[in-house]
Amino acid sequence: MDDIYENAKRVLERAREAARRAGVPEVTVVAASKMNDAIRVRRAYDAGIRYFGENRAQELEAKLREGAFEGAKIHFIGHLQRNKVKTLVGKVDMIESVDSLELMTLIDSRARELGTVQPALIEVNIGGEAAKSGVAPGKLEELLEYAGKTPGISVRGLMAIPPAGAEENKTVRYFEQMRKLFIDMGAKKYDNVTMSILSMGMSADFETAIACGANMVRVGSAIFGERHYT
Ligand SMILES: *Cc1c(COP(=O)(O)O)cnc(C)c1O
């Protein structure tokens, strides 16, 4: 448990330092807290973490009921199933994993039903992996264009998870492709889109991601330790 506190402090410090080196004014560390219970989440909070990312709706709801995220912002970072839209919209501060027109339509109508606006990022499948979520880079513009018709969603930027286990120079290339998309799409000034957040980088590569322009990183195991899947 003490490890979580020390690890979280260290990750915040490393992110701050990487941001300083990259000339990025501010980097948000989202602690990916899946499979870690409320007590462990609070330990990270005590160390200064103010953003948590969950990737399963059920787990998120259970921890919400336990007050795990009190005083912090919650991001949904996992694959978003259509039938979970209803539970998540209005309950999370950001959905980082929007990747289809269909999801946009569902989120938009749920948000409007609740009289709220749901902040979101568009997830890009930058490695073109068949089994991965995210919109293909070539289809990104279609989604950004569509944001003009979904006032219940506020698109704030892009998210990506490059292929796992790639060599560092390859990962850097994916990060750089993301930065280019982020800049190019921002320049196009789509209605109802503000390209202000670029979410990429995890435990193994968050400093590299920041050097490549990320201003939001999602860090799990470097804070909470290795996850043990059963
Ligand atoms: C779990 C998770 C992370 C963090 O992964 P680590 O390698 O443990 O830092 C980041 N992003 C998403 C979407 C995740 O599900």
Side-chain angles (χ1 to χ4, degrees), residues 32-36 40 55 59 202-203 218-230:
S33 46
K34 56 175 172 274
M35 300 178 73
N36 286 279
R40 295 169 67 84
N55 62 352
E59 186 179 339
M202 317 202 296
S203 290
R218 306 173 312 273
V219 181
S221 48
I223 295 174
F224 296 105
E226 292 301 321
R227 290 177 296 273
H228 300 286
Y229 296 93
T230 48

Side-chain angles (χ1 to χ4, degrees), residues 174-203:
Y174 289 125
F175 286 155
E176 283 173 346
Q177 284 168 21
M178 281 304 300
R179 170 161 59 183
K180 184 170 187 322
L181 273 178
F182 180 68
I183 291 169
D184 291 350
M185 295 302 122
K188 294 200 174 188
K189 303 201 183 308
Y190 289 97
D191 275 357
N192 191 29
V193 173
T194 50
M195 273 295 158
S196 55
I197 298 174
L198 180 56
S199 173
M200 57 185 191
M202 317 202 296
S203 290

Side-chain angles (χ1 to χ4, degrees), residues 100-112:
S100 69
L101 296 175
E102 189 190 14
L103 273 177
M104 288 177 76
T105 305
L106 291 169
I107 294 169
D108 174 56
S109 65
R110 178 60 177 159
R112 287 198 278 155

Side-chain angles (χ1 to χ4, degrees), residues 5-230:
Y5 186 87
E6 294 303 327
N7 291 346
K9 286 242 179 241
R10 182 90 193 102
V11 164
L12 287 170
E13 184 56 41
R14 284 169 61 192
R16 207 173 300 132
E17 181 58 24
R20 196 191 54 77
R21 282 195 303 269
V24 178
E26 209 179 337
V27 169
T28 301
V29 174
V30 179
S33 46
K34 56 175 172 274
M35 300 178 73
N36 286 279
D37 62 20
I39 292 172
R40 295 169 67 84
V41 167
R42 291 319 287 176
R43 197 67 187 136
Y45 179 88
D46 290 342
I49 297 285
R50 290 295 178 269
Y51 292 79
F52 290 95
E54 286 286 338
N55 62 352
R56 286 180 57 239
Q58 234 176 342
E59 186 179 339
L60 189 157
E61 285 205 285
K63 282 188 225 173
L64 256 183
R65 282 192 297 270
E66 296 176 298
F69 309 114
E70 210 72 29
K73 305 261 191 220
I74 312 167
H75 287 200
F76 188 77
I77 62 177
H79 175 63
L80 180 53
Q81 291 168 300
R82 279 169 297 170
N83 62 350
K84 292 297 191 297
V85 166
K86 213 169 172 145
T87 25
L88 287 174
V89 171
K91 227 176 262 175
V92 296
D93 297 284
M94 183 167 281
I95 297 175
E96 293 202 22
S97 44
V98 176
D99 64 358
S100 69
L101 296 175
E102 189 190 14
L103 273 177
M104 288 177 76
T105 305
L106 291 169
I107 294 169
D108 174 56
S109 65
R110 178 60 177 159
R112 287 198 278 155
E113 199 174 284
L114 296 171
T116 186
V117 175
Q118 177 64 61
L121 305 179
I122 305 295
E123 179 178 352
V124 179
N125 184 356
I126 196 64
E129 295 168 281
K132 199 96 150 239
S133 320
V135 64
K139 288 212 161 151
L140 175 59
E141 290 192 62
E142 196 183 341
L143 269 61
L144 296 174
E145 183 80 51
Y146 189 60
K149 298 194 183 94
T150 59
I153 307 178
S154 168
V155 175
R156 306 280 172 86
L158 305 178
M159 185 269 240
I161 310 170
E167 297 140 49
E168 196 188 337
N169 63 335
K170 267 210 168 141
T171 302
V172 166
R173 229 176 303 148
Y174 289 125
F175 286 155
E176 283 173 346
Q177 284 168 21
M178 281 304 300
R179 170 161 59 183
K180 184 170 187 322
L181 273 178
F182 180 68
I183 291 169
D184 291 350
M185 295 302 122
K188 294 200 174 188
K189 303 201 183 308
Y190 289 97
D191 275 357
N192 191 29
V193 173
T194 50
M195 273 295 158
S196 55
I197 298 174
L198 180 56
S199 173
M200 57 185 191
M202 317 202 296
S203 290
D205 52 24
F206 70 91
E207 286 151 313
T208 308
I210 293 168
C212 294
N215 57 9
M216 183 172 284
V217 294
R218 306 173 312 273
V219 181
S221 48
I223 295 174
F224 296 105
E226 292 301 321
R227 290 177 296 273
H228 300 286
Y229 296 93
T230 48

